[in-house]
Amino acid sequence: MSIGRFSQTGSSNQDGSSALADINVTPMVDVMLVLLVIFIMAAPLMLPAVQLELPATQARTAPAPAVTVQIAIAADQSLYWGGSRISAEDLSGRLQIQARQSPQTVISLQADKATPYEQLAKVMAAAQAAGLNQISFVTDSIQPARP
């Protein structure tokens, strides 16, 4: 019996068994895939970089961001301006001063869930009367600052 040798008459040996002619290509495919991955990773590094001279421009400064004032209303209807407690009469005066300083002021209104809507409406009306129409609502409950 001769393994690996072919007979002259065909594909079978003298004793009738077929010749062993298969080649295992798995290692060759593995090596080719590894080389393919290496070439894919290295290809961008082989490209020459383009040298560009970018034009210089004069950019304007960005406009100043709008000022935000935080007004909080606690459950007992007490008012807080940026964490400091204020009276209801003092609120309209502060809103008018703020409107003169920065007309684009954003009012960040924060109210406890137990606050009546009437109190919210009064604060919004005072802001509108002062000329401040941008109001955002904060939905978290407040923790008033303790002196």
Side-chain angles (χ1 to χ4, degrees):
M1 176 163 130
S2 60
I3 297 177
R5 291 191 348 189
F6 296 106
S7 65
Q8 300 266 342
T9 60
S11 64
S12 63
N13 288 336
Q14 295 166 350
D15 62 350
S17 64
S18 63
L20 182 63
D22 291 334
I23 298 175
N24 189 3
V25 294
T26 304
M28 183 178 68
V29 170
D30 289 344
V31 170
M32 295 303 288
L33 289 175
V34 168
L35 288 173
L36 178 66
V37 169
I38 290 172
F39 287 134
I40 288 173
M41 299 292 284
L45 300 176
M46 294 180 195
L47 294 175
V50 178
Q51 295 296 326
L52 297 176
E53 292 185 28
L54 298 175
T57 61
Q58 294 293 337
R60 297 183 314 183
T61 58
V67 176
T68 302
V69 173
Q70 294 180 349
I71 299 175
I73 307 171
D76 62 352
Q77 298 184 15
S78 58
L79 296 172
Y80 294 88
W81 179 283
S84 302
R85 189 172 182 161
I86 61 170
S87 65
E89 297 81 25
D90 195 26
L91 176 66
S92 61
R94 285 191 181 206
L95 287 171
Q96 289 174 359
I97 292 170
Q98 187 64 40
R100 279 193 297 265
Q101 289 177 352
S102 177
Q104 297 300 321
T105 299
V106 176
I107 303 295
S108 178
L109 189 57
Q110 188 175 16
D112 191 85
K113 65 182 178 181
T115 303
Y117 179 74
E118 179 183 3
Q119 185 67 20
L120 287 168
K122 286 179 183 178
V123 172
M124 290 189 299
Q128 186 177 15
L132 300 173
N133 296 320
Q134 297 180 13
I135 299 175
S136 65
F137 292 95
V138 180
T139 57
D140 293 334
S141 61
I142 63 170
Q143 299 289 331
R146 304 283 182 213

